[in-house]
Structure formats: C-alpha cells, structure tokens
Amino acid sequence: KGWNMEAAAGDGEEAFFLRDADIRVWHSIQLALGYAGFAVLLFCRVVCPGGSHFWQWLAPDWCWAAVFSPLFLLDCVGLRHWRYLHTQRMRLPLLDSRRYLLMWASECLCK
C-alpha cells in the first residue's frame, strides 16, 4: 500500500511539472507573437512598405499607441504569468515569483 501512495504522489508531482512546462512554453509563444506583432507594426509605421498611401491609417501621431499595443498586452500576459508563479510558489524554486515580478516591473518602467 505504501508503494502505491508514493507512486501516486510521484504521479501528481510529475503531472504538475508537465502542466508547468506546458504553461511556460505557451507563455514563451505568447511573448514571441507579441514581440513579432510589435516588430511588424513598427516596420509598417516606419518603412511604409507598398507606399505611404497604403498605410495612411497609421500616419497620425496617436497611432503610435496602436504600434506599441502588443507590448502593453504583453504586460498583461506577464502579470498573469506572475500570478501563476505566485500561486504555485511552494512547488517552484525559492523566490522564483519575486524574481519574475521584479523583471516584469522593470520592463513596465522601461516603457
């Protein structure tokens, strides 16, 4: 009986780390898509491929907010990821959620 309990505990821990890996990979994909979206919008705003008449909707100064919107969305994604790390802090390395919160806050301040 004791061996089965240990196997069940190991299976739960293994399931947690598989789920954690899935969450972290998905977070990396979201970051990559957000930064790619920003790069594409910045490219379109600055270079205007196909001529400036095609990108007139992006010409006003207030459209810089649209260009930087993927970065602001990434702030929300980062906050959600910190909340995940914070709720799982007992299973993760010591101070991992605080380290991520510090990185997230410094990124926000740089913008």
Side-chain angles (χ1 to χ4, degrees), residues 11 19 21 24 29 38 41 52 54 57 80-81 91 107 110:
D11 290 341
R19 186 175 154 267
R24 289 175 189 257
I29 291 170
F38 169 68
L41 287 172
S52 61
F54 186 69
W57 64 274
R80 191 179 73 223
H81 189 67
R91 293 182 156 189
E107 283 181 12
C110 287

Side-chain angles (χ1 to χ4, degrees), residues 15-43:
F16 167 75
F17 284 110
L18 287 174
R19 186 175 154 267
D20 181 62
D22 183 53
I23 289 171
R24 289 175 189 257
V25 166
W26 179 244
H27 179 69
S28 297
I29 291 170
Q30 289 175 327
L31 289 176
L33 290 174
Y35 286 125
F38 169 68
V40 166
L41 287 172
L42 185 63
F43 176 77

Side-chain angles (χ1 to χ4, degrees), residues 15-90:
F16 167 75
F17 284 110
L18 287 174
R19 186 175 154 267
D20 181 62
D22 183 53
I23 289 171
R24 289 175 189 257
V25 166
W26 179 244
H27 179 69
S28 297
I29 291 170
Q30 289 175 327
L31 289 176
L33 290 174
Y35 286 125
F38 169 68
V40 166
L41 287 172
L42 185 63
F43 176 77
C44 292
R45 173 76 162 108
V46 174
V47 177
C48 299
S52 61
H53 64 284
F54 186 69
W55 299 102
Q56 286 179 350
W57 64 274
L58 200 54
D61 287 338
W62 60 268
C63 284
W64 281 107
V67 171
F68 282 89
S69 64
L71 297 182
F72 298 129
L73 290 174
L74 286 179
D75 290 340
C76 297
V77 168
L79 184 60
R80 191 179 73 223
H81 189 67
W82 169 77
R83 284 181 35 207
Y84 162 74
L85 293 174
H86 185 69
T87 58
Q88 301 298 325
R89 66 186 176 275
M90 298 306 286

